[in-house]
Amino acid sequence: RPNVPVIVPLVVTDEDTPSTQWVFTSNISDTSIIRNVVFGLNSTGGFVATVNPVRDAVGSTTITVHVSDGVNRVSQAFP
């Protein structure tokens, strides 16, 4: 839906590093469609990404989410 932020639950596991040390970042292939992605916690303590569209934008883009524990980094692309 245009102009409405989308909240996407994220599933991340790391047996060696506490989740408080994880760093989330993102890359957006077309920032004329998606303004930004904000990472946070939901009411149950799970991680979420809030995807904020550009007002009245139409089209498609790929968002790549990265998470790092300070040593290793993993990425997942969402077209």
Side-chain angles (χ1 to χ4, degrees):
R1 297 180 342 184
N3 305 323
V4 177
V6 175
I7 298 173
V8 180
L10 302 173
V11 177
V12 180
T13 58
D14 183 335
E15 296 176 5
D16 302 319
T17 307
S19 61
T20 56
Q21 295 180 14
W22 300 345
V23 176
F24 290 87
T25 57
S26 66
N27 293 100
I28 302 164
S29 65
D30 187 346
T31 56
S32 71
I33 305 288
I34 299 297
R35 182 181 54 210
N36 64 9
V37 178
V38 178
F39 298 97
L41 296 171
N42 64 17
S43 61
T44 62
F47 287 96
V48 295
T50 302
V51 180
N52 296 296
V54 172
R55 185 164 194 75
D56 298 325
V58 177
S60 62
T61 187
T62 298
I63 299 169
T64 304
V65 173
H66 313 278
V67 63
S68 172
D69 65 3
V71 176
N72 298 302
R73 180 175 131 154
V74 295
S75 302
Q76 177 68 53
F78 300 91

